Amino acid sequence: MNKYCGSNKSQIHPCFSNLGHNKYARMHLPVAPGCNIQCNYCNRKYDCLNESRPGVTSEILTPEQAFKKYLLVKEKIDDLTVIGFAGPGDTLANFDKVKKTVELIRQANKDIIFCLSTNGLMLPLYAQEIANIGISHVTVTINAVDPDLGALIYDEINYEGQKLTEKKGSKILLNNQLEGLDCLTGKGIVCKVNTVVIKGVNDHHIEEVVKTVKKYGAYKSNVMQLIPAQGTKFEDMPLVSNKEINNIRKKCSAYLSQMYHCRQCRADAIGLLSQDRSVEFRNICNSNFDKYK
Ligand code: CLF
Ligand code: SF4
């Protein structure tokens, strides 16, 4: 058995391992621009080179460009154990591109860990394919397990050709998130649930989320602060302090192992979680790629 097999995988995944997060590197490939829902805290319009938050990227890659970039980066980054798909949109709203990228990289490296993050809307449809193509780690962002609260967080859900708002939309999203989690964990995929704490909206509800996702097989919970983004409905929301977030995590740890080292990465992040090196590799897989060969 090589070091990337079976149960050892989570130990060398910088997000899933509490001990390995300073040792192992991950590379995000931004092949997924579109999204099928609108969260009230998300704005993917700005390409800010120095901003680090989910949804920010300096480029969108085709699967072929992503593969080229991987080949280049793996030569320069030690202990690159994980290829992650984290947007800038939703990975399952662009699953054909994610799938193609996985297939290209898998041909070159049979050991690398594939990881994706999603809002979970399309999980019931894609869970089997996710397992078939060898994605071993999935993160689902679940911010509420009460559709009334979900309706305050999600502006619209685009599902099966319909635009659904308010409770009608958040109910479908929640059902699919939980059903998807159940499907994935039943297939042996290691799942983490990210939960964004929004003061005055869901901050009293986080334990309920964590208790619920544990029942559906989640392995780990990552309770994170809202980063208010300009141009969103939640741009003026109050910040949650580190003390407040750690108090919530402490309570939630009674139910599920907590992540304490999340960096709320960009969609094109590269390197150790504590040392983003994406700037070194910006745009190298486009017209300038050949000069780096
Ligand atoms: Fe990327 Fe996410 Fe996979 Fe990690 S990030 S897709 S699980 S490889 Fe990690 Fe970054 Fe936090 Fe995400 S530190 S934002 S939890
Ligand atoms: Fe943005 Fe992700 Fe929400 Fe889509 S699911 S609106 S990409 S935060």
Side-chain angles (χ1 to χ4, degrees), residues 122-136:
M122 300 310 288
L123 270 180
L125 183 68
Y126 290 126
Q128 185 61 55
E129 257 191 288
I130 288 170
N132 291 349
I133 63 173
I135 293 174
S136 58

Side-chain angles (χ1 to χ4, degrees), residues 136-155:
S136 58
H137 290 72
V138 171
T139 294
V140 190
T141 300
I142 302 180
N143 299 321
V145 289
D146 170 350
D148 285 313
L149 284 182
L152 302 174
I153 299 169
Y154 306 106
D155 200 38

Side-chain angles (χ1 to χ4, degrees), residues 36-225:
N36 42 19
I37 73 174
Q38 180 59 57
C39 303
N40 284 333
Y41 50 74
C42 177
N43 188 345
R44 302 185 303 284
K45 273 186 212 145
Y46 300 111
D47 168 17
C48 178
L49 297 187
N50 300 312
E51 196 176 355
S52 185
R53 65 170 168 80
V56 171
T57 184
S58 293
E59 58 185 356
I60 300 293
L61 303 175
T62 64
E64 291 74 20
Q65 289 169 331
F67 177 53
K68 280 183 181 178
K69 188 167 181 176
Y70 159 73
L71 291 177
L72 179 67
V73 168
K74 83 174 171 53
E75 297 303 321
K76 312 233 169 185
I77 301 262
D78 294 335
D79 279 316
L80 177 67
T81 55
V82 176
I83 294 297
F85 299 92
D90 184 68
T91 51
L92 300 187
N94 307 259
F95 189 63
D96 52 334
K97 296 192 175 95
V98 171
K99 187 177 167 189
K100 178 78 187 161
T101 311
V102 168
E103 287 167 352
L104 288 169
I105 295 174
R106 185 55 93 208
Q107 284 172 17
N109 184 337
K110 64 179 173 33
D111 295 327
I112 198 102
I113 296 171
F114 287 108
C115 179
L116 68 76
S117 77
T118 175
N119 60 41
L121 181 66
M122 300 310 288
L123 270 180
L125 183 68
Y126 290 126
Q128 185 61 55
E129 257 191 288
I130 288 170
N132 291 349
I133 63 173
I135 293 174
S136 58
H137 290 72
V138 171
T139 294
V140 190
T141 300
I142 302 180
N143 299 321
V145 289
D146 170 350
D148 285 313
L149 284 182
L152 302 174
I153 299 169
Y154 306 106
D155 200 38
E156 64 180 47
I157 309 294
N158 293 296
Y159 187 60
E160 294 183 336
Q162 281 186 292
K163 191 172 280 195
L164 305 165
T165 56
E166 303 182 347
K167 198 172 166 181
K168 207 170 169 190
S170 67
K171 212 171 173 178
I172 285 181
L173 177 64
L174 176 60
N175 285 346
N176 286 7
Q177 289 170 330
L178 296 179
E179 188 189 327
L181 200 53
D182 200 39
C183 287
L184 290 174
T185 56
K187 295 176 194 312
I189 291 172
V190 187
C191 293
K192 171 166 69 62
V193 169
N194 283 3
T195 305
V196 182
V197 179
I198 309 154
K199 210 169 188 169
V201 177
N202 69 347
D203 50 342
H204 62 289
H205 177 68
I206 309 299
E207 273 180 83
E208 214 41 54
V209 173
V210 174
K211 272 191 227 174
T212 305
V213 301
K214 182 189 168 70
K215 282 191 220 149
Y216 286 84
Y219 167 83
K220 209 173 190 65
S221 146
N222 175 20
V223 174
M224 59 218 292
Q225 281 136 315

